[in-house]
Amino acid sequence: MPDARVRTRFAPSPTGALHFGSVRTALFAWLTARHAGGDFILRIEDTDQERYIPGSEALILETLSWLGLNWDEGPEVGGPHDPYIQSLRIATYREHAEKLVDGGHAYWCTCTPARLAAMREAQRARSEPTRYDRRCLTRQADVTQEREGGMAAVVRLRMPDGVSDWDDVVRGRVSFANSDIDDQVLLKSDGFPTYHLAVVVDDHLMEISHVIRSDEWIPSTPKHLALYAAFGWDVPRFAHVPAVLGPDHQKLSKRRGARNVLEYGELGYLPSAIVNCIALLGWSSGDEQEVFALEELCQRFTLERVNPAAAIFDPKRLDDLNGIHIRRMSTDELVEALEFHLPGTSKETRRMLVPMLRERMVTLADATRLCAPLLGEVKLDLSIEFPPKKVDQATAVAMIDACIEAVEEGALEDHDAMLERLRAVAERSGVKSRDAFRVLYIAILGTPAGLPVIEAMEFLGKEKTLQRLREARARLG
Ligand code: GLU
């Protein structure tokens, strides 16, 4: 379909919050649509009632919105193929299942769970693959009677003979012998479709051009191709994107406790950095560039550049990108974004803090720790060596005294002059100024490192600064 409009979808099941792996699938589908000026559709696949976790649908919408991955059609926004929630489309699937039965592509099956279990057991005993033995296919007249008599029944796909193959956008040619594929249940006895029927019917009705999903679905694709053929429908392009592994090289999964992406927000990660990091899970730009804003990703992203090998999520890379994205933010944006992490501060206060913080944050949450000595009382950690290593008592006293003198003289406003004055004290004592300044950090901030100390003194004001310096001086005896 070279000229058809690009329409991609993200089709999560509401079985929990989104983690990096599932968001990666969503992002690749979103970017494919945005790159082509097409549409991105969100569809909730909630036909598996047993795996349903209440509240996860709302979490999914919130996560996508927070990351800036807006959808053109789907829950909340509606669209021409409404509803976009599969449990509200049950009649459609049933109708399509019946069409398949009428055309001879599917059949009713009344085998009981007990019979199926015994069948599988026997197959295992003979070291055969476990699969439905098509018993009901050859006794359809009886099956009709049994159904009329009230027996529970499912609809199974009659998997055709031959080979299923397709040109996967990410993986190239993929092919399966159909003889290896089971007659998949399409409609369950409770009238609900299985994923396989619902996904194909909806992808067709919703005019999806590219099915982008995790590569764990590759073994299902032959079943889906059989369904497209049975209905006589055009087949979309398939792009099976590689698994995302955690730092331990194990697959990220809800079951293994992969972290809810929204929690990263609470930890002070920016949506733009998360999106940047996730985009690099399997995709590369082809040049050296690794830092991308969302708009740039829309311009540059193509599925053809997705590597089929498994991608490894590296938290260190997320940290690096987060720091870079923080430094790209304007002061106004940071003043806004830090509200959550510096609760109780006014905009004006945050505006004064931002220049000190910008270069020193890996996450926005670092602001809480860094600013604590300026916003509350400094809690003196008496276990901190004071004077610090490599600084003798006399030098520490000289640094503090010189600083008290300068502040009393009102020299605090001129940072450069202050620095020079204090450096000269360190130099006269023969102590490296980096070491000598630790005396002031401990006096003002309670720790030997942190926010730039002269700026911190200015923020505190003359009175508080002098008070802290004098207290530290008293500790030196
Ligand atoms: N509901 C499926 C899932 O949660 C969607 C798979 C697909 O995209 O076809 O993974």
Side-chain angles (χ1 to χ4, degrees):
M1 290 186 288
D3 296 316
R5 186 167 176 75
V6 170
R7 284 173 60 84
T8 65
R9 71 353 180 234
F10 178 49
S13 300
T15 53
L18 297 181
H19 55 71
F20 266 45
S22 38
V23 168
R24 199 278 319 266
T25 305
L27 178 63
F28 283 11
W30 186 85
L31 288 171
T32 302
R34 294 293 170 254
H35 179 78
D39 301 317
F40 176 66
I41 289 98
L42 176 61
R43 182 174 72 226
I44 303 294
E45 301 206 330
D46 60 346
T47 57
D48 190 347
Q49 303 284 300
E50 275 162 33
R51 291 180 59 221
Y52 180 71
I53 295 184
S56 35
E57 201 181 301
L59 274 181
I60 290 168
L61 305 194
E62 191 185 339
T63 308
L64 296 178
S65 303
W66 181 64
L67 294 171
L69 309 183
N70 60 327
W71 53 100
D72 304 294
E73 296 170 28
E76 287 180 347
V77 302
H81 305 289
D82 220 16
Y84 292 85
I85 297 178
Q86 287 189 328
S87 59
L88 304 177
R89 302 170 61 81
I90 300 302
T92 308
Y93 309 124
R94 194 177 167 95
E95 217 171 88
H96 281 85
E98 277 163 5
K99 251 188 230 164
L100 289 174
V101 174
D102 291 347
H105 303 289
Y107 55 96
W108 287 96
C109 165
T110 49
C111 287
T112 60
R115 181 191 174 257
L116 292 172
M119 172 197 79
R120 285 192 204 104
E121 193 52 42
Q123 288 169 337
R124 263 185 232 116
R126 295 193 299 266
S127 305
E128 289 171 12
T130 54
R131 58 192 319 163
Y132 184 57
D133 59 7
R134 292 195 157 167
R135 176 170 175 267
C136 284
L137 182 58
T138 53
R139 49 184 289 279
Q140 284 293 286
D142 293 346
V143 169
T144 307
Q145 268 187 2
E146 287 164 1
R147 284 180 54 225
E148 280 165 7
M151 221 170 138
V154 301
V155 171
R156 284 183 185 275
L157 171 65
R158 180 183 184 168
M159 193 65 198
D161 296 335
V163 169
S164 297
D165 50 11
W166 72 96
D167 276 318
D168 197 280
V169 186
V170 173
R171 312 184 72 92
R173 196 91 189 141
V174 184
S175 84
F176 282 83
N178 290 358
S179 54
D180 290 338
I181 295 157
D182 207 354
D183 279 359
Q184 176 67 49
V185 172
L186 300 175
L187 199 68
K188 294 179 276 186
S189 56
D190 61 3
F192 271 67
T194 57
Y195 156 71
H196 305 279
L197 175 64
V199 79
V200 168
V201 168
D202 283 347
D203 283 342
H204 171 75
L205 295 179
M206 296 179 182
E207 304 169 88
I208 300 303
S209 63
H210 293 68
V211 169
I212 298 163
R213 62 184 169 204
S214 145
D215 63 5
E216 68 195 339
W217 295 109
I218 289 178
S220 299
T221 305
K223 299 172 186 174
H224 302 177
L225 290 172
L227 286 169
Y228 281 101
F231 285 122
W233 292 339
D234 284 341
V235 177
R237 296 293 316 267
F238 287 99
H240 288 95
V241 296
V244 177
L245 309 182
D248 56 358
H249 289 222
Q250 298 286 314
K251 203 167 162 189
L252 283 189
S253 78
K254 289 172 202 167
R255 288 187 193 103
R256 293 188 59 251
R259 184 180 267 160
N260 169 1
V261 170
L262 284 175
E263 281 173 26
Y264 283 90
E266 284 161 30
L267 294 170
Y269 290 91
L270 302 175
S272 63
I274 293 176
V275 164
N276 190 161
C277 181
I278 291 179
L280 299 176
L281 292 174
W283 176 80
S284 64
S285 59
D287 57 34
E288 299 287 284
Q289 188 175 348
E290 292 220 335
V291 181
F292 295 94
L294 196 56
E295 306 76 59
E296 279 176 291
L297 286 172
C298 295
Q299 281 165 20
R300 303 282 304 272
F301 184 87
T302 59
L303 284 171
E304 284 72 17
R305 290 210 55 83
V306 173
N307 188 324
I312 294 164
F313 166 55
D314 174 7
K316 172 79 177 63
R317 188 187 223 180
L318 175 62
D319 282 351
D320 292 345
L321 287 169
N322 205 54
I324 294 169
H325 279 259
I326 285 178
R327 290 190 279 287
R328 285 181 161 196
M329 286 169 85
S330 70
T331 299
D332 283 348
E333 285 168 338
L334 275 170
V335 166
E336 199 70 34
L338 286 171
E339 187 176 5
F340 178 79
H341 301 279
L342 296 174
T345 54
S346 67
K347 272 193 180 176
E348 291 65 41
T349 302
R350 294 200 296 279
R351 197 169 288 282
M352 280 189 273
L353 292 169
V354 162
M356 284 186 252
L357 286 167
R358 193 194 298 273
E359 298 294 323
R360 288 171 176 76
M361 287 185 287
V362 170
T363 70
L364 295 176
D366 289 337
T368 316
R369 175 180 54 81
L370 287 165
C371 292
L374 300 189
L375 298 173
E377 287 307 306
V378 237
K379 275 196 209 79
L380 286 183
D381 176 359
L382 296 175
S383 66
I384 284 185
E385 205 181 334
F386 192 61
K389 258 192 202 77
K390 299 185 194 160
V391 184
D392 56 283
Q393 177 89 2
T395 306
V397 169
M399 286 298 284
I400 300 238
D401 285 347
C403 195
I404 290 177
E405 195 183 295
V407 175
E408 278 175 341
E409 281 168 22
L412 205 47
E413 270 87 84
D414 189 345
H415 297 175
D416 291 344
M418 271 289 275
L419 274 175
E420 223 161 281
R421 216 164 142 168
L422 293 165
R423 273 196 199 119
V425 176
E427 211 167 295
R428 271 200 301 279
S429 316
V431 173
K432 272 202 195 117
S433 76
R434 179 146 52 89
D435 295 327
F437 268 78
R438 287 214 184 94
V439 174
L440 302 179
Y441 275 91
I442 295 176
I444 299 297
L445 303 168
T447 63
L451 296 178
V453 76
I454 309 283
E455 281 91 332
M457 289 188 216
E458 193 184 2
F459 178 90
L460 286 171
K462 194 170 173 176
E463 205 177 308
K464 267 198 180 161
T465 300
L466 284 173
Q467 188 193 332
R468 289 188 188 185
L469 288 169
R470 287 187 183 124
E471 275 165 19
R473 177 70 180 77
R475 277 174 76 195
L476 291 170

